[in-house]
Amino acid sequence: MTSLLEPPAPTAPVKVGRLVDQFEKGLDAPICLTWELTYACNLSCVHCLSSSGKRDPRELTTEQCKAIIDELQRMQVFYVNIGGGEPTVRSDFWELVDYATEHQVGVKFSTNGVRIDKKVAERLAASDYVDVQISLDGATAEVNDAVRGPGSFAMAVRALENLAEAGFRDAKISVVVTRQNVDQLDEFKALADRYGATLRITRLRPSGRAVDVWDDLHPTHEQQRQLYDWLVAHGEGVLTGDSFFHLSAFGGEGGGSLPGLNLCGAGRVVCLIDPVGDVYACPFAIHDNFHAGNILTDGGFASVWKNSDLFRELREPQSAGACASCTFFDSCRGGCMAAKFFTGLPMDGPDPECVQGYGQAALEGERTVPQSSVDHSRTGKRAERRTPAAPVPLTLLTKPPAKFCDENPLAGL
């Protein structure tokens, strides 16, 4: 008979496993769903991932958007990242934001600040379920406006001032790190602190119009190391969206010091809905090769998420290819799918910004650089493909951005 005073036999610990292993096979609903409400935009940023500018006449109606929100609520999607284009120029934008929050779907939206006036800022400050990201790609007007257009820095800062004055808590300053602004990280952090905001930095991907300027804008190898060191030293409280996992190999074979999954989440935990209802595996991969379906013709978003052949394929173990023998593979998992695709590198090869230098060697070889499958630039077309040595104009606008966009759904077409 066992004594009641005898300690119980030890039980084996339950093995939960790494998150990366659980997420690799995909989830029942995306953790991070990006929804571009419109391609219309008052700016013409040279690195726009969706080549936005003109509104698409097939844009989803208000009722179709509400049906998507209903579906997201049923799937228990916690929040949605709304972008564009400039989403606030849709006449039904606030109606859709209110509908989402009323249906337990939180909203995070990215804006250049064009419509964040004092009245709108007060409205946002009164909501508990809306988060705002102000896009800014330079801590000074000189650096920012060269990429986003003349007057865009002042417009963004004015939006930040209005939000702070209204008492909006924890706005985000969203920065795409480029060769020109990587030296301004401390200034960006100071700017965020000044307005009671949080700094969010993300990686420049060569998608959309950025395909044409990536060679000139993406940080050099030395700057990648500078960015990594800055994140290790000052990154607490700085959001990255897990977009710098390709830098983890700087931390050695153990996986590096940067937090995150170190995994491409395309079709597993993230995806994109575009303004006409097309679903893509990744917000940075708007191309036919990554098109998973359409919510209007393929039974709704849940059906696409669960049944898409592309998503099923992405959720299977992926070949490490040329990276299989690299001792740092577990740190970066081969890097970003979109970055490889839009620089013409093999999908099972190294990331173009591989910190071990393998990407640079691959870039110097023979490759064909694909274009995005959609282009809504107001010029009607992007710049012709140039040779890597040719200069690129970084300013597309010749006048300050208009205060408001034309609401006409056919404007600019």
Side-chain angles (χ1 to χ4, degrees):
M1 179 177 179
T2 303
S3 168
L4 295 177
L5 299 178
E6 186 175 323
T11 57
V14 177
K15 294 184 178 180
V16 177
R18 299 181 304 170
L19 279 177
V20 65
D21 296 323
Q22 298 177 50
F23 288 175
E24 193 167 25
K25 297 180 181 179
L27 302 178
D28 291 337
I31 289 177
C32 180
L33 170 64
T34 297
W35 185 1
E36 295 185 344
L37 283 181
T38 183
Y39 284 125
C41 191
N42 57 308
L43 298 183
S44 295
C45 303
V46 298
H47 60 353
C48 179
L49 65 92
S50 58
S51 299
S52 290
K54 296 185 295 184
R55 178 178 276 110
D56 193 305
R58 302 169 299 160
E59 199 170 273
L60 296 174
T61 67
T62 302
E63 292 309 310
Q64 288 171 330
C65 289
K66 288 182 178 179
I68 293 176
I69 294 169
D70 291 338
E71 198 167 13
L72 299 181
Q73 181 186 25
R74 290 192 294 270
M75 294 176 71
Q76 298 183 321
V77 172
F78 183 65
Y79 73 87
V80 59
N81 287 312
I82 291 180
E86 172 51 45
T88 63
V89 304
R90 271 192 64 138
S91 58
D92 60 357
F93 176 73
W94 297 112
E95 180 182 354
L96 293 175
V97 169
D98 289 342
Y99 189 84
T101 57
E102 289 166 2
H103 289 75
Q104 294 78 51
V105 178
V107 172
K108 298 188 177 187
F109 73 92
S110 297
T111 175
N112 56 46
V114 64
R115 288 197 164 166
I116 309 299
D117 57 21
K118 293 182 182 297
K119 184 177 180 180
V120 167
E122 291 172 358
R123 174 176 182 166
L124 289 168
S127 175
D128 293 328
Y129 301 100
V130 180
D131 194 18
V132 186
Q133 292 185 167
I134 306 295
S135 297
L136 201 61
D137 292 327
T140 58
E142 179 183 9
V143 174
N144 178 84
D145 292 5
V147 173
R148 302 186 64 81
S152 56
F153 180 82
M155 185 169 64
V157 169
R158 184 168 58 248
L160 289 167
E161 291 172 346
N162 290 338
L163 289 168
E165 183 180 319
F168 184 89
R169 291 194 200 172
D170 199 26
K172 308 298 185 294
I173 295 178
S174 184
V175 177
V176 177
V177 179
T178 66
R179 189 172 303 180
Q180 287 71 23
N181 68 22
V182 71
D183 290 328
Q184 297 185 317
L185 292 172
D186 288 334
E187 295 175 66
F188 281 122
K189 185 64 170 63
L191 193 66
D193 292 342
R194 184 185 312 162
Y195 294 109
T198 295
L199 177 61
R200 179 179 186 268
I201 62 175
T202 58
R203 182 182 179 185
L204 173 70
R205 267 83 164 199
S207 53
R209 282 197 291 266
V211 169
D212 303 311
V213 298
W214 185 83
D215 287 332
D216 299 278
L217 290 185
H218 81 98
T220 65
H221 179 78
E222 292 75 18
Q223 289 176 325
Q224 298 279 3
R225 180 73 207 208
Q226 176 185 345
L227 171 60
Y228 173 83
D229 290 341
W230 189 88
L231 284 170
V232 171
H234 309 289
E236 186 175 355
V238 175
L239 305 178
T240 64
D242 200 29
S243 65
F244 296 109
F245 63 89
H246 69 295
L247 301 181
S248 293
F250 276 134
E253 297 182 23
S257 303
L258 299 182
L261 288 176
N262 293 358
L263 170 74
C264 174
R268 298 179 173 116
V269 297
V270 303
C271 71
L272 167 81
I273 301 175
D274 85 347
V276 301
D278 284 326
V279 180
Y280 294 90
C282 170
F284 307 104
I286 304 176
H287 189 278
D288 289 343
N289 285 35
F290 304 104
H291 182 253
N294 183 282
I295 59 169
L296 301 181
T297 59
D298 294 313
F301 175 72
S303 176
V304 175
W305 178 258
K306 295 175 182 177
N307 303 318
S308 161
D309 290 339
L310 172 65
F311 285 175
R312 289 179 185 274
E313 180 181 347
L314 289 173
R315 291 163 189 166
E316 293 295 323
Q318 303 295 308
S319 167
C323 296
S325 60
C326 179
T327 56
F328 297 97
F329 177 73
D330 282 340
S331 297
C332 73
R333 293 297 185 100
C336 173
M337 175 183 73
K340 288 187 277 191
F341 179 77
F342 284 113
T343 51
L345 299 185
M347 300 299 287
D348 61 352
D351 187 288
E353 293 179 313
C354 167
V355 301
Q356 298 302 309
Y358 300 122
Q360 184 58 44
L363 289 173
E364 293 169 357
E366 290 290 327
R367 56 192 173 100
T368 301
V369 179
Q371 296 283 342
S372 296
S373 298
V374 296
D375 185 5
H376 291 82
S377 302
R378 287 198 296 273
T379 57
K381 63 178 182 178
R382 291 207 310 270
E384 293 297 323
R385 169 60 51 196
R386 58 188 182 80
T387 61
V392 56
L394 294 185
T395 303
L396 297 188
L397 290 182
T398 57
K399 60 182 180 178
K403 184 176 181 182
F404 297 108
C405 284
D406 193 329
E407 297 288 2
N408 186 336
L410 299 180
L413 295 178

